[in-house]
Amino acid sequence: MRIEDYAVLGDCQTAALVGRDGSVDWLCLPHFDSASCFAALLGDASHGTWRIAPVGDVHTTTRRYVEGTLVLETDMETADGAIRITDFLPPRGDGALASQLMRIVEGLRGEVPVRMDFALRPDYATIVPWVEAAPDGLTALAGPDGFRLSTTLPLELDVGGAHAELVVSAQERHRAVLTWHRSYERAPVIEDADSALARTIAWWRAWTGRCTYEGAYRDEVLRSLVVLKAMTLEATGALVAAPTTSLPEDLGGSRNWDYRYCWLRDSVLVLEALLDAGYTDEAAGFRDFLLRVGTGDPAKIQIMYGIRGERRLTEFELPELPGYEGSQPVRIGNAASEQFQLDVFGEAFAVAAIGIDLTGEIERDLWPRWCAIVEHVAGVWQQPDDGIWESRGPRRHYTYSKVMAWVVFDRAVSLAERFGLEAPLERWRATRDEIHQEVCDKGWDPDRRTFTQYYGSRALDASILNIPLVGFLPGDDPRVTATIDAVRDELGRDGFVSRYSTAQTDDGLDGDEGQFLACSFWLAAALAHNDRVAEARALFERLAGLANDLGLLAEEYDVARGRQVGNFPQAFSHLTLIVAARAISDAEARTTTAGDGHPPAVAAATPALRE
C-alpha cells in the first residue's frame, strides 16, 4: 500500500501502522525503539502482519478516528454486508498495564465471511516464534519476547502464527487482543476489550479537551497535536521524530533513515506547539528529559538521543528486509547522533523563552545551566557545523545555524534583563550583534538578493525561511520578502518546497528526495509574517490537502508521483503545520486590529477533516 494508506495507533509508548485493508504491518513492542514484531511495511506478509478483512472483494472502505481520539474505526462493505474493525492501543499509564493492541470486529449488516491471518515475526522478521495453543488463543515465544493472542475467533495454528475463518453477522462482535511480555515472566492478565475501549476514548478526550488553541484551522491543529502526543514517550517526555524506520525519501533509493529517536530540535519545536496550545505538563516532562541528557558539560550535548536518554545510537543495516517498495538499505540506529549542529542550542533557548513568557516565571536554580550553554555557544559559534539537515558531506558555515546562534544570545540577554539575573550582559550583547552583522554580510547574496544556504554559496536552503519566524529580521523587511520569493522560485516544485537543491549541495548522499512538507509549511508561515495572508492561506490549504483521509502527514511529498514519502507520520510535518496555522491567525489578527482599531475576534475554525 501507499504510505498514506496507513493509519497510526499510539499509546504514548509505542505505535502501530494499520493499513486500509485491515492489516497491521508495523508494530514494535513494547516501545517505539524496540525490534518490530510485524514488519510487512518493509517487505511483505512473510515479514510479519496481522490482517482482518472480509473474504473476497471489498467494494468500499471508509475509516475515521473516533472524535478527539486515536481510536480507529474501519468500515468495509461487501456484496454480503458490512463489518467494522475498531483498532486501538490502550494507554498504559505508569506501566502497571501491559502492552496491548486491541482489535474488535463487529457486524454492521448482512453476513460477511471474514478471515484473520496472524503472522508474528519478531526481531525485525529474523525470527519465527514457537507458537502453542492456549485456552483463549495462543502464546508465542522468541528469545526475550513473549506474546499472547487472546481472541474469540476460532483459531487454527500455523508456523509462527495462526489464521481464522468465520461468518460475521449483524450485531455479532468478536475481539482479539495481542499482549507482549518478557518471555521468562508470566503472561499478563488480559483486559476486557470493551472496557479498554471506553477507557481509551475517555483518556484521549480528556487530553484533547485541554486544548486552548482557538485560531484558524483548529481541527487540523488538534489532529496534529494528537499525533505529537502519541509519539511522546510518557515515561521520559522524549518525542520520536516518527514511529518508523527506513520509509524512503526517494522510492527505490537509499535515503532511508531510522527516525525512532528523540531529536532535540524536533522536540523543542513540538514543545513550543504544545505550550501554545496549553499543554504545560508535556513541557515540564521534556524539560526534565533535557536536564537528564544535558549532563554537566554543554560540549557533550548531542543533537539526538534514545527515548530514555541513550547516547549511543549505533547505525547498522538489515539485509533480511527488502525495504519499502525495494528501497534499500533498511537501517536501524542513526549515525547522525554524532554530528555537530549549532542550531540546536538556539531552538532550546527559543522554547525556554516561550515557556517563561507563558508562565511569567523562571526557575532561578536552572539559570547557571543556561549560562553554561551560552558560554559554550560563545566558544563554538564561529566554527562550521553539519547543518540542520544532517548532511553527510563537509561541514560549512550554514546561515541558519548562525541565525540560531544569534537566538541563543538574543533570548539569554532578554531573560537576564527581564528577571534581573546575573550575567555578562555587555559581552553577550556584543556577541549577539556580531553574529547578526556577520549573517547579514556573509549570508546575504546582494546580487541575487537572498540569504543563502551557507557563507559564500549561491545555493538556497528552506531553513532560511525561519529568519522572520525567530525574529532575526522583521517579517516585512525587504530582505525577508526577497528571500521568500527566491526560495519559492528556486526550491519550489508545483508550489511545494524542497529542503535544498540536491544538484547544488554536496550532502554526501545519492539520489533525490521529495518536497519537504515542513519547509512548505515554513513558507506559509513566512508569508504570513510578510503580511501576505491570502498567499499563506492558499499554500496552507494545499498542504493540508496532502494529508491522508485521517489527517496524517509523512515527511515529504513526491510531486511527480503524487504520493507521500518518508517516515510516517512525521512529527516535523505536524509541528510546522501548527506553526503555520498560528502564524496565519496572528497575521489576520494584526490585519484586523490595523483595519478598525479594535481587538480581533477569534478566527473561525475550518470545517472538520474529511473522514
Side-chain angles (χ1 to χ4, degrees):
M1 288 176 287
R2 299 177 307 166
I3 289 170
E4 55 264 47
D5 285 331
Y6 286 95
V8 67
L9 311 176
D11 63 358
C12 301
Q13 298 201 43
T14 192
L17 263 58
V18 185
R20 182 182 296 277
D21 67 346
S23 60
V24 179
D25 286 348
W26 182 255
L27 175 62
C28 300
L29 289 175
H31 297 120
F32 296 108
D33 60 348
S34 301
S36 65
C37 57
F38 300 127
L41 181 69
L42 301 177
D44 55 36
S46 68
H47 298 101
T49 188
W50 182 11
R51 185 174 186 225
I52 302 175
V55 176
D57 294 336
V58 176
H59 296 165
T60 59
T61 299
T62 57
R63 57 184 183 167
R64 75 217 133 258
Y65 287 120
V66 173
E67 184 179 358
T69 78
L70 215 58
V71 173
L72 177 69
E73 293 180 342
T74 304
D75 294 350
M76 297 182 176
E77 301 263 357
T78 75
D80 300 304
I83 64 167
R84 173 173 296 163
I85 304 172
T86 301
D87 294 315
F88 59 102
L89 285 163
R92 291 183 240 172
D94 60 4
L97 297 172
S99 309
Q100 303 176 101
L101 171 57
M102 296 196 167
R103 315 194 72 183
I104 298 172
V105 185
E106 59 183 310
L108 299 179
R109 187 176 65 258
E111 295 185 340
V112 182
V114 171
R115 180 179 172 96
M116 183 193 81
D117 289 291
F118 178 82
L120 272 172
R121 296 296 182 268
D123 198 16
Y124 301 111
T126 60
I127 298 175
V128 177
W130 179 258
V131 174
E132 292 184 332
D136 62 345
L138 61 80
T139 61
L141 299 177
D145 299 310
F147 303 89
R148 180 181 175 190
L149 177 63
S150 175
T151 182
T152 56
L153 299 173
L155 291 186
E156 294 187 29
L157 299 191
D158 301 322
V159 175
H163 69 273
E165 292 186 356
L166 71 160
V167 175
V168 178
S169 303
Q171 309 306 316
E172 190 176 348
R173 191 175 176 90
H174 294 272
R175 51 97 177 144
V177 181
L178 174 65
T179 59
W180 174 93
H181 62 96
R182 295 180 179 88
S183 60
Y184 47 85
E185 295 178 352
R186 181 177 298 178
V189 175
I190 303 296
E191 185 176 8
D192 175 75
D194 289 319
S195 297
L197 175 60
R199 179 172 64 83
T200 303
I201 291 173
W203 187 91
W204 275 111
R205 286 182 172 168
W207 190 85
T208 54
R210 291 164 46 205
C211 179
T212 59
Y213 179 77
E214 295 295 340
Y217 306 108
R218 187 179 190 277
D219 291 326
E220 289 88 339
V221 167
L222 186 57
R223 175 51 55 199
S224 292
L225 287 168
V226 168
V227 171
L228 296 175
K229 173 63 174 176
M231 293 195 293
T232 303
L233 186 66
E234 194 168 28
T236 68
L239 172 107
V240 294
T244 55
T245 180
S246 301
L247 289 179
E249 298 174 11
D250 180 21
L251 294 175
S254 61
R255 293 173 179 260
N256 318 316
W257 315 109
D258 192 348
Y259 274 13
R260 298 171 301 154
Y261 303 108
C262 179
W263 272 254
L264 292 192
R265 176 191 306 107
D266 294 28
S267 295
V268 296
L269 293 174
V270 166
L271 180 58
E272 177 181 349
L274 289 167
L275 279 170
D276 276 345
Y279 292 104
T280 55
D281 290 347
E282 287 73 14
F286 184 70
R287 177 206 59 192
D288 293 343
F289 177 81
L290 278 177
L291 293 175
R292 290 193 296 273
V293 302
T295 69
D297 183 0
K300 299 297 184 182
I301 292 177
Q302 298 184 175
I303 67 165
M304 58 187 289
Y305 293 88
I307 57 176
R308 288 160 292 274
E310 301 92 339
R311 303 177 66 88
R312 299 185 187 275
L313 308 178
T314 305
E315 184 177 305
F316 61 95
E317 298 175 4
L318 285 177
E320 297 87 352
L321 286 171
Y324 181 86
E325 293 195 10
S327 304
Q328 293 183 323
V330 170
R331 291 183 172 94
I332 305 300
N334 201 307
S337 61
E338 302 167 10
Q339 289 192 346
F340 166 48
Q341 295 180 10
L342 180 61
D343 68 284
V344 167
F345 301 103
E347 276 112 7
F349 256 89
V351 173
I354 290 170
I356 292 166
D357 284 342
L358 289 172
T359 62
E361 299 177 354
I362 188 170
E363 295 179 88
R364 292 177 178 268
D365 58 330
L366 296 181
W367 181 242
R369 288 202 182 197
W370 289 110
C371 289
I373 293 175
V374 179
E375 293 302 325
H376 173 66
V377 176
V380 301
W381 75 266
Q382 293 174 309
Q383 298 177 15
D385 74 321
D386 292 299
I388 181 175
W389 305 127
E390 293 155 19
S391 167
R392 300 199 177 191
R395 288 184 174 178
R396 304 184 188 278
H397 292 283
Y398 287 100
T399 302
Y400 175 73
S401 297
K402 306 302 185 185
V403 168
M404 296 311 293
W406 171 87
V407 168
V408 170
F409 292 93
D410 179 74
R411 304 307 194 264
V413 167
S414 176
L415 291 173
E417 291 175 340
R418 177 179 175 184
F419 292 96
L421 300 168
E422 184 176 348
L425 282 175
E426 185 174 348
R427 177 163 56 84
W428 284 4
R429 291 191 194 102
T431 303
R432 176 194 61 189
D433 297 342
E434 180 184 359
I435 298 172
H436 197 282
Q437 189 61 51
E438 181 180 290
V439 169
C440 292
D441 290 342
K442 296 182 179 181
W444 173 256
D445 184 338
D447 296 328
R448 299 170 65 217
R449 295 192 52 75
T450 182
F451 285 98
T452 59
Q453 184 180 46
Y454 54 89
Y455 293 173
S457 168
R458 291 182 60 82
L460 299 184
D461 192 304
S463 64
I464 56 179
L465 292 169
N466 281 281
I467 284 174
L469 274 59
V470 300
F472 185 84
L473 289 174
D476 58 357
D477 188 286
R479 290 166 292 183
V480 170
T481 303
T483 298
I484 289 172
D485 292 338
V487 168
R488 183 165 60 178
D489 292 344
E490 295 192 25
L491 297 182
R493 186 171 180 184
D494 193 29
F496 306 123
V497 178
S498 299
R499 295 184 294 177
Y500 50 81
S501 169
T502 54
Q504 291 183 303
T505 302
D506 176 15
D507 60 7
L509 302 169
D510 296 326
D512 205 346
E513 61 181 18
Q515 281 52 62
F516 210 72
L517 293 176
C519 296
S520 301
F521 279 117
W522 276 341
L523 176 58
L527 287 166
H529 279 267
N530 200 231
D531 291 328
R532 294 149 74 174
V533 181
E535 292 177 64
R537 268 193 172 273
L539 177 56
F540 183 97
E541 288 167 12
R542 285 195 68 201
L543 289 165
L546 299 180
N548 72 1
D549 53 323
L550 298 169
L552 303 178
L553 292 164
E555 182 178 25
E556 300 174 15
Y557 182 72
D558 187 325
V559 170
R561 293 183 173 94
R563 294 178 57 179
Q564 294 194 37
V565 291
N567 282 303
F568 175 86
Q570 177 75 9
F572 215 25
S573 299
H574 283 280
L575 74 89
T576 49
L577 178 152
I578 297 170
V579 168
R582 181 167 287 278
I584 290 169
S585 289
D586 291 345
E588 290 177 336
R590 290 195 303 270
T591 301
T592 303
T593 302
D596 59 15
H598 297 290
V602 174
T606 56
L609 288 171
R610 60 188 184 278
E611 294 184 342

